[in-house]
């Protein structure tokens, strides 16, 4: 079978080794005579997967004691509302750094819950991350929320702010485990799995265990973080198969040499593409400001819409998938998540060079 050059933004590429392992175990998980999809979520077999997956993620994030991994459903979009519901009490404001489409969605949901504040904002029309010196956190901030990587814009924080006693929280859906960070800076990290952690269906939350001790008691049970903390994410039936797949992906990351090794390869992959864009003499143009460029989502354009259509047609003919930009921005985008092989990025740069040679 010929594998596509998969640059989809999400659901996105999964490691081939993970897919093959899942294929091997789909009918009979570890000799129990059942698929993992068929077992009780309260069985010892599933609880072992649940616990191991939590520990693997904490290990890869290099987090100290006092953090817990939760498995929820509803995607990062549900977290946009769940976070302020649990943290935004009377007299407090939810403080947000506005960096693009996903930050804006988080802000809009928070406004339905309570008072919000824009701590800093990207300049209109310029795809970049504000400087840390621009971030102003009010004294009554319940938390500061950042979107670590804007998938649509192709921008990414190069470093994160120190917030003192104010909890720092982040939507890391599109770049979790893509590079080493000081995860202990954060009180809460959330991520939809379908970009770097596994398939869609599970949302991962990494949280300081004492963060929600003062959460309102009026929050519905399934929207209360404490429900998942107290029940080890087993209050109700979790997305068993998605969590099993996250388990396999985390083991794969560890086998690659951990996050440091994955980061090294990610930077080599995106350097290939950015160099092809920057050395094209203006034939291609990166959309994101250079000091804010993402190592997960490379956004770029050609000089005319007609050329972009021609390029996408040629890419499709040659087995490339997912290179069209988001519908809200247009142009082109290559999502180079952890599971996208170096060979796929090299093939893309070869295609970029060939298209420039024949159309430049």
């Amino acid at each position: 079978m010929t594998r596509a050059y998969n640059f989809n933004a999400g659901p996105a590429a999964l490691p081939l080794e993970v897919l093959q392992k899942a294929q091997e175990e789909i009918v009979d998980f570890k000799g129990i005579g059942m698929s993992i999809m068929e077992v009780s979520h309260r069985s010892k077999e599933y609880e072992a997967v649940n616990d191991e997956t939590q520990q693997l993620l904490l290990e890869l994030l290099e987090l100290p004691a006092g953090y817990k991994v939760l498995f929820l459903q509803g995607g990062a979009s549900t977290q946009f509302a769940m976070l302020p519901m649990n943290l935004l009490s009377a007299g407090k404001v939810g403080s947000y750094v506005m960096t693009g489409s996903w930050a804006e969605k988080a802000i809009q949901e928070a406004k339905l819950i309570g008072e919000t504040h824009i701590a800093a904002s990207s300049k209109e029309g310029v795809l970049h991350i504000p400087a840390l010196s621009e971030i102003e956190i009010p004294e009554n901030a319940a938390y500061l929320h950042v979107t670590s990587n804007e998938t649509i814009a192709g921008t990414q924080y190069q470093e994160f702010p120190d917030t003192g006693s104010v909890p720092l929280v982040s939507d890391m859906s599109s770049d979790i485990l893509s590079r080493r960070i000081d995860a202990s800076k954060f009180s809460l990290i959330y991520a939809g799995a379908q970009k770097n952690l596994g398939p869609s269906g599970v949302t991962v939350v990494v949280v300081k265990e004492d963060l929600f001790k003062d959460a309102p008691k009026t929050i519905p049970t399934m929207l209360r973080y404490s429900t998942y903390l107290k029940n080890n994410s087993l209050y109700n039936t979790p997305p068993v198969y998605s969590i099993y797949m996250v388990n396999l992906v985390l083991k794969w990351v560890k086998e690659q040499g951990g996050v440091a090794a994955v980061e090294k390869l990610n930077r080599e992959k995106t350097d290939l593409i950015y160099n092809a864009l920057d050395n094209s003499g203006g034939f291609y143009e990166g959309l994101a400001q250079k000091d804010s460029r993402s190592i997960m989502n490379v956004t770029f354009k050609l000089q005319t819409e007609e050329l972009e259509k021609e390029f996408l047609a040629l890419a499709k003919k040659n087995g490339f998938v997912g290179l069209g930009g988001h519908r809200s921005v247009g142009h082109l985008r290559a999502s180079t998540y952890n599971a996208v092989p170096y060979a796929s990025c090299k093939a893309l740069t070869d295609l970029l060079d060939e298209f420039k040679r024949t159309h430049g």
Side-chain angles (χ1 to χ4, degrees), residues 14 17-30 32 34-39 45-54 56 71 193 197-202 204 238-252:
L14 286 165
E17 300 94 322
V18 166
L19 293 172
Q20 290 170 333
K21 181 65 173 177
Q23 182 183 45
E24 176 188 321
E25 292 187 332
I26 194 165
V27 174
D28 187 3
F29 176 69
K30 298 186 182 297
I32 65 174
M34 293 179 288
S35 170
I36 191 69
M37 288 185 283
E38 299 177 288
V39 303
E45 291 85 5
Y46 176 70
E47 286 201 22
V49 171
N50 187 67
D51 293 347
E52 182 184 47
T53 309
Q54 294 176 33
L56 280 166
F71 299 126
L197 293 178
S200 59
V202 61
V204 173
V240 169
Y241 196 74
S242 292
I243 295 167
Y244 158 76
M245 289 293 291
V246 171
N247 180 280
L248 295 185
V249 170
L250 296 179
K251 287 177 177 175
W252 175 83

Side-chain angles (χ1 to χ4, degrees), residues 298-341:
V298 180
T299 54
F300 61 104
K301 67 179 180 178
L302 284 86
Q303 299 309 302
T304 68
E305 186 177 346
E306 290 71 24
L307 276 175
E308 290 181 350
K309 288 178 179 178
E310 279 193 56
F311 178 80
L312 288 173
L314 180 65
K316 182 178 180 181
K317 182 179 177 181
N318 283 274
F320 290 83
V321 176
L323 290 173
H326 188 270
R327 61 186 178 276
S328 65
V329 174
H331 301 302
L332 304 167
R333 172 177 59 179
S335 294
T336 54
Y337 300 124
N338 290 356
V340 175

